[in-house]
Amino acid sequence: MKSLLFLVLIFFCWAKHHAANFTLEHDRIIHVHENGPHLLVKAEQTKVFSNRGGSVTLPCKFYRDNTLPVSGFHRVRVKWTKLTSDYLKEVDVYVEMGYHKKSYGNYQGRVFLKKSTENDASLVISNLMLEDYGKYKCEVIEGLEDDSAVITLDLDGIVFPYFPRLGRYNLNFYEAQQACLDQDAVIASFDQLYEAWRSGLDWCNAGWLSDGSAQYPIRNPRDPCGGKNTVPGIRNYGFSNKEQNRYDVFCFTSHFTGRFYYLIHLTKLTYDEAVQACINDGAQIAKVGQMFAAWKLLGYDRCDAGWLADGSVRYPISKPRKRCSPNEAAVRLVGFPDKKHKLYGVYCFRSYQ
């Protein structure tokens, strides 16, 4: 009998304890529901477009509960960060609270809050760089309240496949990144490659992308490129070892501030002579990315093969014609000839900065 009473007592205590917890949990849920967040952050546009060298405003506004006193920016902390391709890391861009302001990295001197109204936390970025492309988070914090919004900055430009003099499939991920930088470009993102594919890019060799994957775009399925019975799309090799695996690379470039041109010269040139000829003309030998940008964004058309900085010989055709890319507009690659052969002209680039 005593054992039975003991068990009943234990059960009563257990039920009372859990009933109390249930009541607290129930009250907590009701509290959140009835007293929701007093701060809301919104982006009028989730995607904005610009180009290298220009300025852009990333829209962000915050709205507060009308029952709270208006305090403007004095008690509000605004923080802008850039999201990395894997979303696991955020790169600090700008933070402001009251009179305290700080920008980070290569954003220093190029960013500030627009503040057209007391709730405007939009970020203005000037002198845009290729590296500025990507997703940004606007976070507003006031006391215990906070909210955020994500805005994508897209740059008008062009994606182009690239491999060095050594030949195809010779770049690990880090070498691929540097190869793009050397050609006045940055390694492309998947979104940029996808847009290039939609615009007609068809390339049968896998190349690194900024997220560490290796992929390639196919518009016209064929046997050497996944099979002729497959559907068009982006072929994905997956995520590879960044140090050991070797592929080509897809680079992205945008508008430039300068002049790209073919140098009129009396004779054909060796590579070293081509470099010097551009210097003598107050310029530098042009880079591959500059040729692609001039071709795609400016409609540059020239049927003369010329040296470029990486030792390749190419020419840009915007108007297809006989003996000059008769079937399609393209940047044609002649190859990486012996640099001592006097067989080609040269393309130069003169910066306006």
Side-chain angles (χ1 to χ4, degrees):
M1 187 65 176
K2 291 182 178 180
S3 299
L4 179 60
L5 289 173
F6 181 74
L7 290 174
V8 170
L9 181 61
I10 290 177
F11 176 80
F12 175 78
C13 293
W14 176 88
K16 184 178 180 181
H17 171 75
H18 283 273
N21 281 349
F22 176 81
T23 301
L24 289 173
E25 181 70 15
H26 180 71
D27 290 343
R28 184 181 69 82
I29 294 173
I30 295 299
H31 173 75
V32 171
H33 177 74
E34 292 183 344
N35 301 286
H38 299 296
L39 191 66
L40 176 66
V41 174
K42 293 184 67 176
E44 296 171 345
Q45 297 172 260
T46 57
K47 192 170 189 176
V48 295
F49 293 85
S50 190
N51 55 266
R52 177 169 53 168
S55 297
V56 72
T57 299
L58 303 183
C60 179
K61 291 187 177 180
F62 62 94
Y63 301 89
R64 307 169 70 255
D65 191 324
N66 291 332
T67 62
L68 296 178
V70 176
S71 59
F73 278 85
H74 296 296
R75 293 173 51 195
V76 171
R77 181 172 184 260
V78 178
K79 182 178 181 181
W80 279 89
T81 55
K82 185 179 181 185
L83 306 179
T84 58
S85 57
D86 58 9
Y87 296 96
L88 297 177
K89 181 181 178 182
E90 297 180 13
V91 177
D92 290 335
V93 174
Y94 183 82
V95 64
E96 177 173 328
M97 183 174 180
Y99 298 106
H100 301 284
K101 308 173 184 179
K102 185 174 182 180
S103 53
Y104 297 84
N106 62 14
Y107 292 98
Q108 294 184 51
R110 298 194 298 125
V111 292
F112 61 90
L113 295 187
K114 187 176 181 181
K115 294 198 289 191
S116 60
T117 61
E118 66 176 14
N119 69 326
D120 186 5
S122 301
L123 184 73
V124 179
I125 309 178
S126 61
N127 190 24
L128 284 169
M129 303 177 180
L130 294 175
E131 297 88 341
D132 293 339
Y133 166 88
K135 296 183 184 296
Y136 291 79
K137 185 173 78 171
C138 171
E139 184 177 17
V140 179
I141 304 168
E142 183 178 23
L144 298 177
E145 299 286 345
D146 70 275
D147 196 19
S148 62
V150 175
I151 304 96
T152 298
L153 170 59
D154 201 354
L155 299 179
D156 294 325
I158 179 174
V159 171
F160 61 94
Y162 184 79
F163 62 90
R165 174 180 287 274
L166 293 174
R168 297 189 186 280
Y169 289 10
N170 266 292
L171 299 170
N172 68 26
F173 177 78
Y174 305 104
E175 292 167 343
Q177 282 184 313
Q178 188 59 51
C180 289
L181 291 174
D182 290 343
Q183 300 312 314
D184 193 41
V186 292
I187 189 168
S189 69
F190 172 80
D191 290 342
Q192 289 170 332
L193 182 65
Y194 177 73
E195 288 301 319
W197 170 78
R198 289 185 59 191
S199 298
L201 180 61
D202 183 284
W203 195 255
C204 198
N205 293 85
W208 289 104
L209 295 177
S210 60
D211 62 1
S213 66
Q215 309 191 40
Y216 63 99
I218 294 297
R219 299 279 299 183
N220 304 305
R222 49 204 184 273
D223 285 335
C225 308
K228 62 182 179 181
N229 295 322
T230 58
V231 297
I234 308 293
R235 307 284 191 260
N236 190 350
Y237 277 28
F239 295 94
S240 300
N241 186 302
K242 291 184 177 181
E243 293 184 350
Q244 296 180 6
N245 290 93
R246 295 184 175 274
Y247 302 101
D248 295 347
V249 62
F250 289 99
C251 302
F252 173 83
T253 193
S254 184
H255 295 265
F256 49 68
T257 304
R259 180 191 172 208
F260 173 89
Y261 62 101
Y262 181 81
L263 180 65
I264 303 300
H265 199 272
L266 295 177
T267 61
K268 298 299 182 181
L269 305 165
T270 66
Y271 175 80
D272 289 341
E273 290 171 342
V275 171
Q276 189 59 49
C278 289
I279 294 174
N280 293 343
D281 202 49
Q284 301 290 325
I285 187 170
K287 299 178 178 180
V288 176
Q290 292 162 348
M291 175 175 281
F292 271 97
W295 167 72
K296 180 67 174 182
L297 305 175
L298 302 177
Y300 195 92
D301 183 282
R302 186 90 191 190
C303 199
D304 294 288
W307 291 105
L308 292 176
D310 67 337
S312 66
V313 172
R314 307 172 194 249
Y315 61 98
I317 298 298
S318 295
K319 301 173 183 178
R321 54 199 182 276
K322 188 177 181 180
R323 298 178 183 175
C324 297
S325 188
N327 298 320
E328 62 177 348
V331 170
R332 289 301 184 189
L333 171 64
V334 175
F336 291 85
D338 188 328
K339 291 184 175 182
K340 296 180 180 180
H341 287 172
K342 292 189 176 185
L343 297 175
Y344 307 102
V346 62
Y347 288 92
C348 302
F349 180 80
R350 182 182 296 127
S351 175
Y352 292 158
Q353 295 181 336

